[in-house]
Amino acid sequence: MSEGPGAVPLPADWAVLGKRPGRIMGYEVLDGSLPRDRAQRYLWSATTGTPDGRDPAGGLPWRVFLSTADGEDRPVCAVVDTTWDGSKDGTDTPSYTWRLLLTEWQPAARAGVTWTSLDRAAARTGALPGAEAVLHAERTPAAELADTIDRLGFEWAAGMAALLLDGRHLVITAPRGATLPGIDERVRVLDAVCALLPYGCRTWLSGATWAGKTEHALRLVFAGSARSGQLETPLATGRPPAPGGDTARRYLAELLRVRAKRESTADVVAHLLAATAPVPLRAGAGAVRLLGELDLLDSVLDAVRQGRGQAEDVGRLLALHALEALDEQRQLELVRFLADSAGHADGGTAAAVLTRHWTPQVPDLLAAAVLAPPASQETYGKAVEYLGLLRGLEGAANSGAFGRLFTTLATAPGHDPVWVGQLVYLVEKNFGYSTDAVDRVLTGVPAAGRAWVRGLFGNRPCEPAPLDRLLALATEPGNGPVPGWLRFAGALTGHRAAAGATEADATAFVGDNEEAWRIALETARDHGQPGVIGPLWPVLRGVLRSGRQAELLALLDELARPGAPGLPPGPAADADLLWLIGRAADPGFRPAAALPRLRGITDGAPALDRYTDTLVARTDGDPALRDEVIAALLGDRPDLAHGWPVLTRWMKQRPSITTTVGEGLARRLMAPDYAHWLDLDLPTDLVNELEYKGLGWHRAVQRLRLAVNARAELDELARIIISGCPQPTVTGRLLDEIAALVSDYGSAFGYTLTTELDRQRPAMGLAVYQALGRDARYGELCARLVRHSNREEVRHRRIIGALSAPAQTAPPPGPYQHRPFPPAAPPSDPQPQPSAADGPQGAPPRRPDGHPAYPPASAYQEERSSRWGFRFKKRGDG
């Protein structure tokens, strides 16, 4: 049989009385751990006769309970079991065996051993050991003994107890017409009668479940009838005969009085079981006094329960009643009172009483006081208070009490794990104490482990040794996988055993605690671990939804500082996305430039690849976030070093975003300040997307700029312009680009360009002039072109006039004679005065540096194959 959880191990001696096989003559001690003569004294005292098979009530086994024997000078707690295994001696007579188990009185009294618990403990020992036995005895509950007393009838049991105190030898017989109960019930009856005497009377009490016809000195036995000197009383048959002595009569009267005063027999039994001081038979008056002290116990406990208790009164009570002899509830109340009182400034007396009456059960009682109510801040404070008290009281007599209390509290099944984790952290922090059993609770109960690690990380700077110890325990062979919360805790500090922490690990670490994410980021910041942002991504995005953007973004700036050297691209992308989500919640916010950490990436293409991979993974399946990121990467001005390269990589991985990029780019190209977007090298799909959105001019404008910068020929410029005008009209950004070009290079260049346009597509050049004339923005440019045309018109009129003059008769020239030009005819229209911006009359416009702004017109008309250069810089015609 297995021992119960409350069993107390008691060293025991043993001996066996019987006959050796084949022997004819008497019984002898065959074996044992006791000296032979001492064993004989107890064994012969328990021999009450030879079993008689014709008497069913006297059937084996017989059990005898002894407290002493002739020739012994100190009390013990012993049981003798008489059995027969079927063996016979040399005369063919049954050979019986008496087995003795004996433990010393003091440890048995401290353990509250009664005959019931002794009998059960003896049954659990099984076969006799070769050297020393150990009895695992449990305290018999007062309620169990009281139930037996009430079944027997209190008056009958009390009368039997008073007769025993009167010195009588009692024989319990079967009532008329009835039979005696079984062996186990007989043990309970014997024990119940003795339970109505102070426990200290067991130093002289003895009993037997059956007594034969041999003379014996046992005090209380079951038998078929009484012998001389014995008083026979049938079982449970009303009140027994009254005792003859005054002391016994007073005791019986007091016993009936205290029972009538209380609600249950258990109160009386518990009080008497606590009176463990030896009470000699000749000092019966002491038993009367001890019974009367039940009122003292009641009064002290009532004062304690009502908050009026005094440590001095408890000390006086415990001087009369050993603490361990009281029932568990009373022990709990008194120990809790002393511990609470010892925690006060004037608690020296209470601490002294607790130390003086210390028992090994004190830590368990204090643990029970803490664990009984639901976990709360109050019980947490009480646990810390009791631990501090035991650490202060710890000495030789109560060594290990602190550790026992702590372990009991931390390993209590079913208690609030968060409460446990916080307590474990505090004990290690304040007392430097930890145990393997408690560490296994942390690794085995996630909520307890999370609470513990939050305490560890919340106290900065974090001491890494406890976490290292727990990780070492969790990674031992045979311990299974490392708990996710613990692996992520290791990742926060950069522990090598925590590589590869996942989002599931981060979620396990956070649990349902609203501050765990902040503790995680602060810990990672202190240990330089920005890589944990990735596993925490889902948690941190949830934090942004809760309205704590400012706090989160500030921590991210500390953990993954924009521009910090060595910031990995993946965490940088995660932090930028969280920054964008958090800032996007602000009314009217629009990112003005590329994401802040992206601008700090300087490791070239591989880093941009990893950054892009993170963006793709986070935004897949989240169109709203994807569009926000694209807008941020586009910004208000193109970022050719970071934002645009990431977008082009993204479009290669996810071509579906080209539409979104095209929409954003189209809006920017239609804005007044669009020019800087023309420098982007757009992929073909994106150009097609822009044309689909009505920006067909974009391709022509971009090609025109490239051609101008490449010093392309004039006819190439014209072809590009025409390619951007499916209809013979010029509108939008292409018109703006032509106007800027003409404005830069002068009216003569404009005239030459439009002439080339007309050559390649009739009326195309005129369409350019018409478009400029209809747009109010180009009034000044049109005025310059008009002035230029007027000058050209005057010149052409003069040429026409010169060519149209009447012929004059003149002698034919000689073979080498020069023919002079006729004089110019006066113009039909007044000649306009040239503007200063148009340059000197008859000379091409010049740049401020004095160089011609473009080659003469004849160069465009007659030598179109020549190369010329110009750049897109705003200049006047002069």
Side-chain angles (χ1 to χ4, degrees):
M1 297 176 63
S2 61
E3 62 199 63
V8 177
L10 298 172
D13 286 301
W14 62 279
V16 177
L17 179 70
K19 287 184 179 181
R20 299 187 186 279
R23 290 289 299 270
I24 297 176
M25 300 304 292
Y27 288 90
E28 61 179 317
V29 176
L30 302 178
D31 199 0
S33 62
L34 283 170
R36 187 174 299 272
D37 56 344
R38 190 179 182 207
Q40 284 179 338
R41 286 194 284 271
Y42 288 108
L43 287 165
W44 288 124
S45 296
T47 305
T48 63
T50 302
D52 185 351
R54 293 170 297 178
D55 186 357
L60 294 176
W62 293 354
R63 293 190 184 122
V64 176
F65 300 96
L66 300 172
S67 59
T68 188
D70 291 340
E72 290 294 316
D73 58 357
R74 66 179 188 269
V76 297
C77 187
V79 60
V80 177
D81 196 32
T82 305
T83 59
W84 182 50
D85 61 3
S87 60
K88 297 183 179 181
D89 63 11
T91 65
D92 202 31
T93 302
S95 177
Y96 302 102
T97 300
W98 285 261
R99 185 183 67 163
L100 166 69
L101 282 171
L102 177 150
T103 184
E104 296 299 328
W105 167 262
Q106 288 296 340
R110 285 195 298 270
V113 174
T114 65
W115 291 348
T116 303
S117 57
L118 179 62
D119 183 63
R120 293 168 181 169
R124 282 194 292 265
T125 59
L128 290 175
E132 183 179 88
V134 175
L135 290 176
H136 293 276
E138 299 178 19
R139 183 186 300 274
T140 306
E144 180 182 338
L145 294 168
D147 286 344
T148 303
I149 293 170
D150 291 338
R151 281 191 288 106
L152 297 171
F154 187 86
E155 288 191 351
W156 182 86
M160 295 289 282
L163 288 170
L164 288 172
L165 190 64
D166 205 24
R168 302 300 298 270
H169 292 254
L170 305 180
V171 174
I172 304 173
T173 59
R176 180 173 298 182
T179 60
L180 291 173
I183 300 300
D184 290 341
E185 176 64 14
R186 295 182 201 180
V187 173
R188 285 191 286 269
V189 170
L190 298 175
D191 211 7
V193 171
C194 294
L196 289 179
L197 291 170
Y199 186 92
C201 292
R202 293 175 186 254
T203 57
W204 50 267
L205 285 170
S206 57
T209 59
W210 189 258
K213 298 179 180 179
T214 303
E215 294 291 338
H216 61 80
L218 300 176
R219 296 282 176 177
L220 179 65
V221 300
F222 283 89
S225 61
R227 298 179 62 80
S228 60
Q230 296 176 331
L231 177 63
E232 179 180 328
T233 305
L235 178 63
T237 52
R239 181 177 292 188
D246 291 340
T247 300
R249 285 197 301 271
R250 283 191 290 113
Y251 186 84
L252 178 58
E254 183 69 8
L255 198 56
L256 295 173
R257 181 190 72 80
V258 297
R259 174 61 186 89
K261 183 179 177 181
R262 282 159 182 81
E263 294 181 358
S264 71
T265 304
D267 288 342
V268 179
V269 173
H271 171 71
L272 292 172
L273 289 177
T276 57
V279 180
L281 178 59
R282 296 180 301 275
V288 179
R289 178 179 57 80
L290 287 170
L291 184 58
E293 286 174 353
L294 181 57
D295 291 334
L296 173 64
L297 177 60
D298 288 344
S299 64
V300 172
L301 283 171
D302 285 345
V304 167
R305 291 164 184 160
Q306 297 171 17
R308 299 181 290 101
Q310 297 292 324
E312 294 83 353
D313 293 339
V314 175
R316 186 161 60 90
L317 173 64
L318 294 180
L320 298 171
H321 298 282
L323 179 63
E324 61 266 38
L326 297 173
D327 65 84
E328 186 172 340
Q329 180 58 34
R330 286 169 171 168
Q331 289 187 54
L332 176 62
E333 291 179 292
L334 294 176
V335 168
R336 180 172 55 192
F337 165 75
L338 292 173
D340 290 343
S341 300
H344 299 161
D346 56 349
T349 300
V353 171
L354 185 60
T355 303
R356 186 163 58 249
H357 297 282
W358 185 270
T359 74
Q361 282 70 46
V362 167
D364 297 332
L365 293 168
L366 292 177
V370 172
L371 297 173
S376 65
Q377 192 61 38
E378 181 180 356
T379 61
Y380 181 82
K382 190 60 66 178
V384 175
E385 178 184 334
Y386 288 165
L387 286 166
L389 173 65
L390 293 199
R391 175 53 65 91
L393 295 180
E394 200 164 50
N398 54 6
S399 177
F402 173 88
R404 182 169 177 176
L405 173 59
F406 169 61
T407 302
T408 303
L409 292 173
T411 60
H415 205 59
D416 180 23
V418 175
W419 187 97
V420 170
Q422 292 172 341
L423 181 69
V424 174
Y425 164 70
L426 188 70
V427 167
E428 184 161 9
K429 174 178 176 289
N430 290 352
F431 301 104
Y433 187 85
S434 64
T435 69
D436 186 69
V438 173
D439 282 351
R440 293 190 183 279
V441 171
L442 298 180
T443 58
V445 183
R450 287 194 295 263
W452 171 82
V453 80
R454 284 195 292 267
L456 180 69
F457 287 165
N459 184 37
R460 290 185 297 275
C462 168
E463 171 55 48
L467 182 61
D468 293 346
R469 184 188 71 246
L470 216 60
L471 279 165
L473 173 65
T475 53
E476 287 179 357
N479 281 347
V482 178
W485 70 265
L486 181 56
R487 182 166 44 248
F488 187 73
L492 293 174
T493 61
H495 198 284
R496 63 182 181 278
T502 64
E503 289 184 0
D505 296 334
T507 302
F509 175 88
V510 172
D512 57 0
N513 185 276
E514 295 181 354
E515 297 300 317
W517 67 269
R518 179 183 55 78
I519 294 172
L521 290 183
E522 290 174 344
T523 304
R525 175 199 63 196
D526 295 343
H527 292 83
Q529 299 297 320
V532 303
I533 298 175
L536 271 174
W537 164 264
V539 172
L540 298 179
R541 186 163 188 186
V543 172
L544 291 174
R545 297 190 188 101
S546 71
R548 301 179 68 175
Q549 297 96 322
E551 184 179 2
L552 173 55
L553 296 182
L555 281 172
L556 286 176
D557 282 345
E558 296 172 0
L559 173 58
R561 181 168 54 84
L567 182 62
D574 280 325
D576 275 348
L577 287 173
L578 292 167
W579 170 85
L580 179 62
I581 295 170
R583 294 292 302 278
D586 297 339
F589 165 75
R590 297 299 303 169
L595 300 167
R597 291 161 187 84
L598 173 59
R599 295 197 302 269
I601 292 180
T602 58
D603 295 338
L608 292 178
D609 290 340
R610 292 193 296 274
Y611 187 97
T612 305
D613 292 342
T614 301
L615 295 188
V616 172
R618 296 296 184 206
T619 58
D620 274 353
D622 191 341
L625 178 59
R626 179 200 62 203
D627 293 350
E628 289 288 344
V629 178
I630 291 173
L633 290 171
L634 285 171
D636 288 342
R637 288 184 177 270
D639 178 6
L640 299 178
H642 300 96
W644 186 247
V646 168
L647 272 176
T648 56
R649 286 168 166 80
W650 194 348
M651 285 187 285
K652 287 180 180 179
Q653 291 193 43
R654 298 291 186 272
S656 59
I657 74 163
T658 303
T659 299
T660 306
V661 176
E663 290 173 353
L665 192 57
R667 287 192 298 271
R668 288 160 174 79
L669 287 168
M670 294 303 295
D673 188 16
Y674 73 95
H676 39 268
W677 293 100
L678 296 173
D679 294 332
L680 294 177
D681 183 12
L682 304 183
T684 302
D685 288 348
L686 188 53
V687 173
N688 294 337
E689 183 70 29
L690 292 176
E691 290 183 352
Y692 175 77
K693 295 181 182 303
L695 278 73
W697 54 264
H698 177 270
R699 190 195 303 266
V701 169
Q702 193 175 45
R703 289 176 58 200
L704 185 60
R705 287 196 167 197
L706 293 174
V708 169
N709 287 332
R711 304 168 66 87
E713 297 178 3
L714 186 64
D715 57 352
E716 176 66 17
L717 301 185
R719 278 193 296 274
I720 292 173
I721 293 171
I722 292 170
S723 70
C725 303
Q727 303 297 327
T729 57
V730 184
T731 59
R733 299 300 185 223
L734 181 57
L735 177 63
D736 297 341
E737 201 69 19
I738 295 172
L741 195 59
V742 172
S743 179
D744 259 4
Y745 292 100
S747 301
F749 169 78
Y751 175 78
T752 307
L753 177 61
T754 54
T755 300
E756 179 62 23
L757 288 171
D758 282 337
R759 187 189 70 80
Q760 294 190 24
R761 178 188 283 184
M764 191 67 206
L766 181 60
V768 170
Y769 286 126
Q770 289 173 338
L772 291 173
R774 287 193 295 266
D775 197 324
R777 296 176 298 158
Y778 299 121
E780 182 182 350
L781 177 60
C782 289
R784 290 166 55 191
L785 291 173
V786 168
R787 289 195 298 270
H788 174 76
S789 295
N790 285 336
R791 286 197 305 270
E792 289 299 310
E793 181 181 13
V794 169
R795 179 170 174 269
H796 285 295
R797 286 180 180 278
R798 291 175 63 190
I799 293 173
I800 292 171
L803 293 175
S804 302
Q808 297 182 9
T809 303
Y816 300 106
Q817 182 177 355
H818 175 69
R819 180 180 293 173
F821 284 108
S828 59
D829 295 323
Q831 181 176 351
Q833 295 300 315
S835 167
D838 291 326
Q841 184 175 356
R846 306 186 70 82
R847 298 178 186 268
D849 58 8
H851 296 289
Y854 56 88
S858 59
Y860 296 104
Q861 293 173 336
E862 299 175 6
E863 301 179 14
R864 287 192 295 270
S865 62
S866 66
R867 305 288 291 180
W868 48 269
F870 42 84
R871 295 193 179 277
F872 188 47
K873 298 179 182 178
K874 293 292 181 181
R875 300 183 184 276
D877 279 353

